[in-house]
Amino acid sequence: MKSVKTHCIILKSTVVREIDKAVTMISPDIGIFTVTAFGACKSRNRFGGKLEPFSVLSAELTVKMRGIEAEYQIKELTLLDSFANLTTSYEIVLTAQFFCEVLLKNNTAGEDRRMFSLLYHALRALNQCDGEESKNAVVINFLVRYLAFTGFFAPLIECSSCGRAFNDNEPVFMQRSDHQPYCSDCVYGDSVPLEPELRSYLNTILKIRFAQTSEIPININGGRKLKAYLISLLKELSGFRYKTLESLH
Ligand SMILES: [Zn+2]
């Protein structure tokens, strides 16, 4: 039997048959996979305490091939980070669950390394945030990067119709029909206007690393507006309902 060493983040952990756990994780090397941890709910189980959602682990797994499907079992686990602050408030837990739900629901095979890194940095930033403003900034950063990775969002530089470069102080209009940016002369139908400071915020955060984005300020109303827009974009593009969003404000 082959074994692999990899890092993982736990996306979901469910109790099965009262004493076991079905644990779904993402690894930069394997992507999203589920293992059954037998006896994980017993108090003396050596893996039990490490199998909570959002935990970052270094894992050694055994791999058994069943046809073309790989079946993984846990051999060794080391807890690297448990992001303890994520469970201190209901809103924060839901936000962390929302990030996991986005990765679980959408097929991002082939982007495993990027998705693992995105989730890791989003959970780390969420674990450090202090209040609505910084929490909204983490959600915006997660969504805009996720949408950019999947090809549905690009820096807002020029009008999609006339091709004119936007100047620094004009609003852009995100047209509902195709989600592209337009200038005020070209936009038609339903659209979401983004003020110059919001466009500049989005363009800036797409150029820097996730860990640096907490230094870029965004005001509370602008943050709320961008968050609501990106969530509506995600829902429309993926076509899914997100269970965690229904309880999140
Ligand atoms: Zn135009």
Side-chain angles (χ1 to χ4, degrees):
M1 221 174 335
K2 230 175 68 177
S3 79
V4 286
K5 279 189 179 162
T6 186
H7 288 113
C8 308
I9 301 175
I10 298 187
L11 301 171
K12 202 171 75 175
S13 181
T14 324
V15 175
V16 284
R17 294 176 293 272
E18 290 178 9
I19 54 161
D20 306 330
K21 270 183 182 175
V23 185
T24 304
M25 322 191 207
I26 183 167
S27 142
D29 307 300
I30 304 170
I32 294 176
F33 64 100
T34 300
V35 295
T36 304
F38 295 101
C41 298
K42 290 182 182 165
S43 59
R44 291 166 70 179
N45 184 275
R46 67 194 176 111
F47 301 138
K50 297 171 184 166
L51 296 172
E52 295 301 317
F54 327 130
S55 292
V56 185
L57 306 159
S58 163
E60 190 175 350
L61 308 166
T62 57
V63 196
K64 223 195 290 178
M65 293 307 291
R66 289 194 187 270
I68 53 158
E69 291 272 304
E71 197 181 278
Y72 297 96
Q73 284 295 331
I74 303 168
K75 202 168 156 191
E76 278 307 326
L77 282 184
T78 310
L79 186 64
L80 301 179
D81 214 323
S82 58
F83 296 134
N85 295 341
L86 295 181
T87 49
T88 50
S89 97
Y90 183 58
E91 285 277 305
I92 295 282
V93 176
L94 277 175
T95 305
Q97 284 173 345
F98 168 58
F99 297 159
C100 294
E101 195 182 3
V102 171
L103 297 196
L104 283 166
K105 280 224 167 100
N106 297 279
N107 182 0
T108 52
E111 293 286 350
D112 303 327
R113 209 157 274 278
R114 270 179 160 180
M115 291 301 158
F116 176 86
S117 166
L118 175 64
L119 180 65
Y120 175 76
H121 287 288
L123 293 178
R124 207 169 90 138
L126 194 61
N127 192 56
Q128 289 164 353
C129 78
D130 53 1
E132 192 191 335
E133 238 165 297
S134 58
K135 188 186 71 159
N136 285 346
V138 178
V139 176
I140 292 166
N141 270 280
F142 173 82
L143 285 176
V144 84
R145 277 156 206 274
Y146 175 80
L147 292 166
F149 288 162
T150 48
F152 293 113
F153 198 89
L156 308 171
I157 305 211
E158 57 180 36
C159 170
S160 294
S161 173
C162 67
R164 180 175 64 76
F166 297 124
N167 63 47
D168 286 348
N169 41 28
E170 69 176 305
V172 303
F173 298 84
M174 303 304 291
Q175 198 158 284
R176 284 284 183 194
S177 59
D178 62 1
H179 314 297
Q180 297 302 310
Y182 286 81
C183 72
S184 59
D185 294 332
C186 298
V187 68
Y188 61 91
D190 201 9
S191 70
V192 177
L194 293 183
E195 294 77 6
E197 52 274 27
L198 297 185
R199 174 165 55 95
S200 147
Y201 178 79
L202 288 175
N203 287 348
T204 306
I205 60 173
L206 279 172
K207 273 189 266 177
I208 59 176
R209 286 148 48 130
F210 204 127
Q212 297 171 306
T213 56
S214 61
E215 292 156 30
I216 313 293
I218 179 160
N219 69 57
I220 192 118
N221 289 328
R224 281 181 189 154
K225 182 174 171 181
L226 270 188
K227 186 176 100 168
Y229 171 64
L230 292 168
I231 285 176
S232 72
L233 197 56
L234 171 80
K235 283 207 236 174
E236 212 175 304
L237 293 169
S238 68
F240 294 120
R241 288 177 65 204
Y242 293 87
K243 214 170 62 189
T244 44
L245 279 181
E246 279 153 31
S247 333
L248 197 66
H249 300 291

